[in-house]
Amino acid sequence: MGAVIDSQAVIAQGQQEGIPLSQAIRQRLRSAGVRFHANDNVAAHLREGDVDRLQDEVAGHIENALRALVIDVDNDHNTRDTARRVAKMFVKEVFAGRYEPAPAITEFPNIGQLNELTLIGPLRVRSACSHHLCPIMGHAWIGVLPNAHSNLPGLSKYARLLNWVMARPQIQEEAVKQIADLLEEKITPDGLAVVMEADHFCMHWRGTKDDGARMVSRVMRGRFLEDPSLRREFLALMASRSR
């Protein structure tokens, strides 16, 4: 059985130390002129121990939310430690892409001067929508047309970068662009394509409760925009891998 959280004590402790940690981090970000939207990464402005302390602060606020929902967290054994579990889930798991630096990427020089289309996918997509914090689940495909000067990441590194971007509250259309921007920066290819197809539980679980609706978003860069035959080849390969 988990320990009961004294949410007011957690918040009060932060105030005794000056200001709540979340407010201190916001002040650092504003002073640096850094945006901190839901799908932004703020790792560069965190200090040692901040993530653990932030998790404690979040747990206190979540417990207050549970109490506001008239849930007896003091006597209900099922929800007594829910606030801590949810805080850990948000800070260190499903939204870890906000608080962790980018994963280390092993890149290889294009010694063979490869310039043929490479398809990576389907890669599993897991995220949450920024509007309701409901799950987004699906797959993504990445098409790369390298040039002689392109970097060539190891195959698993595409999945690591994708997961890092998606482990934040996202809007699918923005997430696809973020992934494309990041890969262009890392690889500098002649062409890049990113396609994502996902279920949105803000529609399945609430709202219209439409279980059949899926969203498909895509971004095409470089040669994929200029060459219809290359675009068709990528989409045909993607379709064959989706069966």
Side-chain angles (χ1 to χ4, degrees), residues 4-5 40 45 55 57-60 71 90 115-116 122-124 127-128 130 163 181-182 184 186 199 222 238 242:
V4 177
I5 300 170
D40 290 327
H45 301 273
Q55 179 181 318
E57 182 182 332
V58 170
I71 296 174
F90 281 149
N115 62 354
E116 296 292 333
L123 299 171
R124 190 69 166 138
S127 190
S130 300
N163 291 337
D181 290 344
L182 181 62
E184 270 199 316
K186 297 286 185 184
D199 290 295
M238 192 189 88
S242 303

Side-chain angles (χ1 to χ4, degrees), residues 29-216:
L29 294 164
R30 290 190 176 108
S31 296
V34 174
R35 196 182 81 165
F36 51 99
H37 289 185
N39 61 0
D40 290 327
N41 177 272
V42 299
H45 301 273
L46 299 179
R47 300 170 183 167
E48 185 176 357
D50 274 357
V51 172
D52 288 333
R53 290 175 57 208
L54 189 63
Q55 179 181 318
D56 289 340
E57 182 182 332
V58 170
H61 290 297
I62 290 173
E63 181 169 303
N64 283 340
L66 293 172
R67 292 183 186 279
L69 290 167
V70 199
I71 296 174
D72 185 359
V73 296
D74 297 314
N75 298 299
D76 177 5
H77 63 282
N78 288 319
T79 58
R80 187 171 297 144
D81 207 35
T82 293
R84 284 193 184 278
R85 288 191 292 263
V86 173
K88 179 183 177 183
M89 177 188 72
F90 281 149
V91 176
K92 293 185 177 177
E93 297 173 354
V94 297
F95 297 159
R98 301 197 74 240
Y99 310 110
E100 296 177 351
I105 300 300
T106 304
E107 299 175 5
F108 305 95
N110 190 359
I111 299 298
Q113 298 189 343
L114 304 175
N115 62 354
E116 296 292 333
L117 170 63
T118 299
L119 175 72
I120 302 99
L123 299 171
R124 190 69 166 138
V125 168
R126 298 176 181 86
S127 190
C129 74
S130 300
H131 295 159
H132 295 93
L133 303 186
C134 287
I136 297 172
M137 306 288 285
H139 292 90
W141 293 261
I142 298 168
V144 177
L145 188 70
N147 60 53
H149 306 291
S150 293
N151 297 321
L152 302 175
L155 181 61
S156 67
K157 304 308 184 287
Y158 290 97
R160 292 184 189 277
L161 289 172
L162 176 74
N163 291 337
W164 182 64
V165 171
M166 297 307 294
R168 311 168 194 176
Q170 283 286 5
I171 298 301
Q172 182 172 327
E173 302 93 314
E174 294 179 358
V176 171
K177 181 180 182 301
Q178 278 189 313
I179 293 163
D181 290 344
L182 181 62
L183 290 174
E184 270 199 316
E185 176 189 338
K186 297 286 185 184
I187 305 172
T188 62
D190 281 343
L192 178 70
V194 180
V195 175
M196 185 180 297
E197 181 181 20
D199 290 295
H200 289 246
F201 283 74
C202 57
M203 286 187 64
H204 298 342
W205 193 21
R206 56 159 301 282
T208 60
K209 297 183 179 178
D210 187 337
D211 291 335
R214 308 194 91 194
M215 177 182 283
V216 179

